[in-house]
Amino acid sequence: MRSGYVFKDSELKLVNSKGFHSLLPFYEAHPTYVYNLESIKQRISSYQTALKGVDSKIHYAVKANSHDSILSLMKDSDCGIDVVSAGEVKKCLEVGSAASDIIFSGIGKSHDEISFAIKNSVGQINVESLGELKRIQQISNSLKKNVNIGLRLNPDIPVKTHPYIATGFRENKFGVALSQIPEALVLIKDSKYISWTSIGAHIGSQILDLDPLKKSMDSLKKIYSFLKNQEVALESIDLGGGLGVDYRSDDEELDFQNIQNYGKLIQDTFKDSGIKIILEPGRSLVARSGVLLMKVEYIKNNGFKNFVIVNSGMHHMLRPALYQAFHRIQPLKTKESENIVCDIVGPICESSDVLGFDRQIPKPEEGDLLALRDAGAYGASMSSNYNLHGLAKEIVV
């Protein structure tokens, strides 16, 4: 990249010099997410290559990033969709996704949401509780309309991740307990319009160790065999998502290797099973694709430490405040200056509004731009207008 602006890897190779400079006034006025679609294409391709040899389909987890262009890319790349609300269903239908390619997950589906999904013939509803199964039974009977369901199971597998994004342990709110499968089987057999087509599990997010994912696969494979002996003709096993990225590193080759290793694990586990495998990746597809560009408003020293105060914060990027998550942050413009150690903080009236603690960066000046890296997942999708600040802008290149 020319003209003194740093773009070290694919997530920052976003625009040519002319295009970048023409947009500088826009970036300086508004915190802006910039997404690189080529990065996402490469990761979709990596998953599809890793899964060759096994009947499979990727269903992108919309909660990671619901930008229209990303949803359109998923559709054009033959990916299905995993949603967790009627709002996400509606948006995916609006961008042209086929209803049959939508899997509706989520623990708290309302009566109206289930009715909407059944009326619009979504491909599958992932059931999270016996109460939800009974509600689907009632609504499908009332509508006299068929519905496919998957049973999301809780395999009681702990994972090494932040407790807020661990979802497959017995203490978590997600999924049907394995002990409740017989009761679920009775309810389904007594349902005129319900077809049980899948079982699945999603044990957490930001998982870098494949061992718990392997344990989840083995558990699902055993349950599939048990149900097959009970004459339950399932069509698929849903492995969920959860594969993470190393936010402290820019080694994207390691990301691709993890995807390949995961694919090999799936093939080794299910190659002779004759069952279709569904994956619901989100973060591992889109996290690296995005940066959040933000302007330095003030440099402050309170006699104890340095603060770089920017025009973005926890209202645009909640992960550091919510999960104590780490994102690399760097000045966008190269220049000769001394390094300072500082907290990079936002304008929100909360002490938790810190994007980075004790970061060593070249000392910026007021008006400089900083780039928060790996911001393509759970950034804009979790943002708010808290303190009545506006939302960050979003640009796709």
Side-chain angles (χ1 to χ4, degrees):
M1 199 70 185
R2 299 187 295 276
S3 306
Y5 288 90
V6 178
F7 290 83
K8 290 185 176 178
D9 48 39
S10 65
E11 67 177 14
L12 285 183
K13 293 173 183 172
L14 298 173
V15 287
N16 60 37
S17 294
K18 180 179 178 181
F20 175 72
H21 287 292
S22 69
L23 288 171
L24 266 179
F26 180 83
Y27 294 148
E28 291 170 349
H30 304 280
T32 304
Y33 281 100
V34 187
Y35 307 123
N36 181 358
L37 292 185
E38 186 59 36
S39 170
I40 301 172
K41 289 178 184 178
Q42 292 172 359
R43 288 162 186 276
I44 294 171
S45 177
S46 182
Y47 264 105
Q48 292 173 337
T49 299
L51 293 167
K52 279 186 177 178
V54 61
D55 184 13
S56 62
K57 190 172 181 70
I58 295 168
H59 284 254
Y60 168 64
V62 173
K63 60 182 179 289
N65 190 320
S66 59
H67 193 280
D68 286 4
S69 295
I70 293 175
L71 297 181
S72 294
L73 172 60
M74 296 300 167
K75 173 177 64 71
D76 295 341
S77 301
D78 195 32
C79 293
I81 295 294
D82 171 65
V83 303
V84 292
S85 72
E88 289 185 349
V89 175
K90 292 174 184 176
K91 185 163 190 180
C92 292
L93 292 175
E94 287 169 358
V95 301
S97 296
S100 59
D101 282 337
I102 296 176
I103 294 176
F104 192 177
S105 303
I107 190 170
K109 306 179 195 73
S110 69
H111 186 284
D112 288 346
E113 286 183 308
I114 293 172
S115 296
F116 179 81
I118 294 175
K119 288 176 182 177
N120 283 275
S121 302
V122 300
Q124 180 176 301
I125 298 178
N126 279 348
V127 176
E128 298 255 9
S129 67
L130 296 179
E132 182 184 344
L133 180 56
K134 293 174 182 177
R135 181 174 290 183
I136 292 172
Q137 182 184 53
Q138 294 166 357
I139 294 171
S140 61
N141 286 341
S142 175
L143 295 174
K144 295 181 171 57
K145 191 168 175 60
N146 295 327
V147 57
N148 297 327
I149 67 151
L151 210 61
R152 175 177 173 176
L153 303 172
N154 186 318
D156 191 19
I157 296 174
V159 294
K160 293 180 180 179
T161 189
H162 192 281
Y164 290 178
I165 51 177
T167 59
F169 192 44
R170 63 177 178 268
E171 294 183 356
N172 302 131
K173 67 180 181 179
F174 299 95
V176 175
L178 302 186
S179 61
Q180 295 177 316
I181 291 177
E183 186 176 351
L185 183 57
V186 171
L187 286 169
I188 293 167
K189 285 185 175 180
D190 194 39
S191 299
K192 182 176 180 181
Y193 296 100
I194 291 178
S195 295
W196 188 5
T197 57
S198 183
I199 55 170
H202 176 64
I203 60 174
S205 184
Q206 186 50 13
I207 299 171
L208 296 174
D209 177 9
L210 295 182
D211 183 62
L213 295 172
K214 168 63 173 170
K215 291 178 180 177
S216 180
M217 290 182 209
D218 290 340
S219 176
L220 289 171
K221 189 175 181 181
K222 290 178 182 178
I223 295 166
Y224 166 69
S225 297
F226 166 77
L227 292 172
K228 191 174 182 180
N229 291 333
Q230 300 296 312
E231 299 183 345
V232 178
L234 298 177
E235 298 175 4
S236 65
I237 294 177
D238 188 337
L239 301 181
L243 196 63
V245 299
D246 184 353
Y247 285 95
R248 293 180 179 270
S249 168
D250 61 1
D251 186 356
E252 296 196 53
E253 290 306 313
L254 181 60
D255 295 345
F256 289 112
Q257 187 59 56
N258 286 342
I259 292 172
Q260 295 305 307
N261 292 343
Y262 186 36
K264 185 178 186 304
L265 185 60
I266 292 169
Q267 294 207 48
D268 290 346
T269 305
F270 294 105
K271 60 185 176 182
D272 298 322
S273 65
I275 190 75
K276 183 175 184 177
I277 300 301
I278 293 173
L279 292 182
E280 299 171 358
R283 184 193 316 271
S284 57
L285 289 177
V286 299
R288 297 286 199 192
S289 73
V291 295
L292 174 58
L293 300 181
M294 50 201 178
K295 183 178 71 170
V296 175
E297 296 287 0
Y298 302 101
I299 313 296
K300 175 179 176 177
N301 182 286
N302 66 355
F304 175 71
K305 69 189 308 181
N306 296 309
F307 298 90
V308 173
I309 304 170
V310 296
N311 66 346
S312 186
M314 63 184 289
H315 56 313
H316 297 150
M317 170 52 73
L318 184 59
R319 296 189 70 252
L322 183 61
Y323 305 129
Q324 297 76 53
F326 180 93
H327 284 264
R328 291 170 292 136
I329 302 172
Q330 67 185 77
L332 209 61
K333 189 174 183 179
T334 59
K335 57 185 174 183
E336 295 295 328
S337 66
E338 63 176 324
N339 283 352
I340 63 169
V341 176
C342 61
D343 287 358
I344 300 171
V345 303
I348 298 300
C349 292
E350 301 280 351
S351 293
S352 57
D353 186 24
V354 181
L355 296 174
F357 286 99
D358 296 324
R359 300 301 179 89
Q360 182 170 304
I361 62 172
K363 185 176 181 180
E365 298 174 359
E366 292 182 8
D368 283 356
L369 293 179
L370 302 183
L372 184 145
R373 311 291 296 273
D374 306 324
Y378 303 106
S381 65
M382 297 178 74
S383 62
S384 73
N385 65 344
Y386 183 42
N387 289 174
L388 293 185
H389 285 282
L391 298 176
K393 306 298 181 183
E394 296 180 272
I395 294 175
V396 171
V397 296

